[in-house]
Amino acid sequence: TVLTSMPRLQSLELHFWTGECFFDIIKDTCEGLRELILSRQRQGRATKDYEKLPGLVSALATSLRVLIIDSVDVNIPAKEARELQRAVSECRHLECLKLEAEESPWVHFHNSRYKIATKRLILSIRKSYQYLAIVRNVNRCVDNAVKIQLTFDTYVDIDNHKHAFFSHGPIIGGGENTVAQSTKDFEQKEVSASFHKLMTEFGPKVVELQSETDIRSEYLAILFPNLESVELFARASRKLDMDARFATDKANIWQKMTKFTLEVDPGFSSSCNEFLLVHHLSDILSFAPNIKIVKVLASQAGLKVAEYSLLLALNKLRENVTSLEEVAILSPYKMHGQGITHQTAMWFITNCPKLR
């Protein structure tokens, strides 16, 4: 009743458990829709509603500017995913696109001949699930001019890595001894031709990054040189081997970066790894000379920091903080007598002329 009475409706957002009937109504009544957001609720019932999606998108192909289809814990079957890609390729005026499911529908787009045109692509990639296949299909299926807003989970083995604590003795460096050997073997295989070829094509398209990681920021800088903002949820800052063919010229990396946010994993890093902040801050500031906002959030557990090492690292980067306008480090107390004091605050006040 509502939709049929709104012939000029421009935007529709629907959160659903089962969508079959709704999709038919939208297709029949919302001819000029410019923005369509479909989000399946968690624990939604398994129905055949995804069979109707390609037809719905095709019907709105001439008017759609924003298309977001999000299915957090239900998969889009391979056949429907491929038909959906064909339907999306008919949308010539897309400005923003997101196609998400429990297991990414992008893995089904291999060997397809349909090209997707959109200005911005919102994408999630997990290293634990066929992430190179997804990268390959994005490189092949989406216009090169696209800007990607990426959520990147760098954890290889969810059960034996992300939620587990491997420590072979006291934590050293950035936590190199806090991962299983299987993870190290997996990451070593990345130092190869296919990874370098895929990421040198994919990485420059990424402009916004949210990452769940225990890897140093320098790794992300080399993979994604054109980032404008970074948000990390980090538990460690271990160093990874990189393919020597990746460009590491700092003059061409993170020149557009203006905002960095680091949230500390409360159950791990804050109390274990005193070099977490040292490594991430020094990496970010050394690669991003035009950064304006830095935020470090450790409000749940406090932050253990080797402050002397932090100040030594910052002293080498004075010329890269001249544009810094806002610094927020939220940590309620020092861990084990180690943490940031007024000295860190004074360093920023003294060396950042634009600080507000």
Side-chain angles (χ1 to χ4, degrees), residues 30-220:
C30 304
E31 293 180 358
L33 215 56
R34 293 167 64 91
E35 179 178 73
L36 178 62
I37 300 171
L38 301 175
S39 182
R40 183 189 278 280
Q41 301 282 52
R42 286 187 180 275
Q43 300 174 338
R45 276 179 275 169
T47 64
K48 295 183 178 180
D49 46 19
Y50 284 146
E51 293 177 7
K52 309 235 174 180
L53 274 181
L56 172 60
V57 174
S58 291
L60 299 170
T62 54
S63 62
L64 271 183
R65 300 296 189 272
V66 175
L67 175 62
I68 294 175
I69 298 173
D70 205 344
S71 178
V72 183
D73 60 359
V74 175
N75 282 326
I76 299 176
K79 179 175 178 286
E80 280 72 33
R82 284 191 287 269
E83 289 179 2
L84 181 60
Q85 186 204 359
R86 181 172 59 80
V88 172
S89 71
E90 297 170 3
C91 302
R92 291 292 162 208
H93 308 292
L94 271 187
E95 295 175 13
C96 181
L97 173 67
K98 179 181 181 181
L99 301 176
E100 207 66 67
E102 182 185 29
E103 294 179 352
S104 177
W106 291 89
V107 296
H108 302 305
F109 293 177
H110 57 281
N111 297 331
S112 77
R113 60 187 183 275
Y114 303 109
K115 195 84 170 177
I116 292 173
T118 181
K119 293 180 181 178
R120 180 167 290 254
L121 176 65
I122 302 174
L123 185 67
S124 293
I125 292 179
R126 301 187 301 276
K127 272 195 178 184
S128 58
Y129 176 71
Q130 300 190 45
Y131 81 110
L132 291 182
I134 296 168
V135 169
R136 185 182 296 110
N137 290 336
V138 170
N139 287 345
R140 225 173 26 77
C141 297
V142 184
D143 275 355
N144 285 332
V146 71
K147 292 185 176 180
I148 297 176
Q149 184 177 322
L150 179 65
T151 300
F152 187 34
D153 188 339
T154 67
Y155 290 99
V156 174
D157 186 331
I158 300 299
D159 294 326
N160 294 318
H161 182 178
K162 192 176 189 174
H163 305 301
F165 174 41
F166 292 89
S167 182
H168 317 291
I171 292 182
I172 55 168
E176 278 76 5
N177 59 344
T178 60
V179 294
Q181 187 60 45
S182 59
T183 295
K184 294 177 183 178
D185 294 341
F186 179 97
E187 291 168 344
Q188 196 58 45
K189 290 177 186 173
E190 287 185 345
V191 188
S192 65
S194 62
F195 179 75
H196 171 262
K197 183 176 181 297
L198 290 172
M199 293 308 292
T200 47
E201 186 179 345
F202 178 80
K205 300 171 187 170
V206 180
V207 295
E208 288 184 37
L209 177 70
Q210 295 91 35
S211 183
E212 196 167 338
T213 189
D214 62 352
I215 301 171
R216 281 188 70 151
S217 299
E218 61 180 4
Y219 172 82
L220 302 173

Side-chain angles (χ1 to χ4, degrees), residues 196-297:
H196 171 262
K197 183 176 181 297
L198 290 172
M199 293 308 292
T200 47
E201 186 179 345
F202 178 80
K205 300 171 187 170
V206 180
V207 295
E208 288 184 37
L209 177 70
Q210 295 91 35
S211 183
E212 196 167 338
T213 189
D214 62 352
I215 301 171
R216 281 188 70 151
S217 299
E218 61 180 4
Y219 172 82
L220 302 173
I222 293 166
L223 288 189
F224 310 115
N226 296 324
L227 287 180
E228 296 169 11
S229 70
V230 176
E231 296 179 17
L232 302 183
F233 181 78
R235 65 185 273 182
S237 57
R238 59 192 181 85
K239 202 172 180 69
L240 246 61
D241 291 334
M242 291 290 289
D243 195 308
R245 290 171 295 178
F246 278 103
T248 54
D249 180 13
K250 290 186 181 180
N252 297 318
I253 295 177
W254 282 4
Q255 297 300 305
K256 299 175 184 174
M257 165 87 81
T258 57
K259 184 177 181 182
F260 170 66
T261 305
L262 171 66
E263 184 177 355
V264 176
D265 183 337
F268 186 93
S269 346
S270 54
S271 59
C272 296
N273 186 353
E274 62 189 34
F275 279 92
L276 180 84
L277 187 58
V278 179
H279 289 161
H280 282 301
L281 262 189
S282 60
D283 285 353
I284 290 290
L285 294 179
S286 63
F287 280 105
N290 302 311
I291 195 157
K292 294 182 178 179
I293 299 171
V294 170
K295 294 184 177 181
V296 179
L297 310 174

